[in-house]
Amino acid sequence: MAKKKVLFVCATGVATSTVVEEKVIEYCKEHGIEADFDQRNVASIGQIGEDFDLIVSTCQVTSQVSTPIVNGLPILTGFGDAAVYAKIAEILTA
């Protein structure tokens, strides 16, 4: 099975998506989930979103794509993050 591809986005593609990406990469390593990761600004979803298996966003997404989008804010705050990690794992291991 090919590696899944995960796109992390925030308003600028720099700050909050970096923190969430680092935490998700660590989670995936700890749980034996192999994936490729990329990070961009939210405006890029319209052009490249369909190329990914999962999008993790820390801001509002207005682009319409068939790729599943997970709200990454709980990973930043630590409130409700277990459910988000579980959803990410479910998508990446399906």
Side-chain angles (χ1 to χ4, degrees):
M1 176 169 24
K3 266 191 197 176
K4 300 283 178 118
K5 294 172 56 181
V6 183
L7 177 63
F8 295 88
V9 298
C10 65
T12 62
V14 178
T16 59
S17 59
T18 300
V19 174
V20 172
E21 180 179 25
E22 289 171 354
K23 290 182 176 201
V24 170
I25 289 171
E26 184 63 29
Y27 175 87
C28 287
K29 283 181 185 175
E30 289 174 0
H31 291 85
I33 300 169
E34 291 190 29
D36 290 323
F37 305 97
D38 197 358
Q39 180 182 353
R40 306 286 178 95
N41 65 33
V42 70
S44 67
I45 290 177
Q47 291 81 36
I48 64 169
E50 299 290 342
D51 298 336
F52 291 85
D53 299 293
L54 171 64
I55 298 169
V56 179
S57 178
T58 60
C59 63
Q60 184 69 30
V61 175
T62 57
S63 299
Q64 296 296 316
V65 291
S66 61
T67 304
I69 299 172
V70 172
N71 178 358
L73 283 177
I75 294 172
L76 280 178
T77 66
F79 295 103
D81 58 335
V84 175
Y85 285 125
K87 184 66 175 173
I88 290 169
E90 176 187 324
I91 292 168
L92 295 182
T93 57

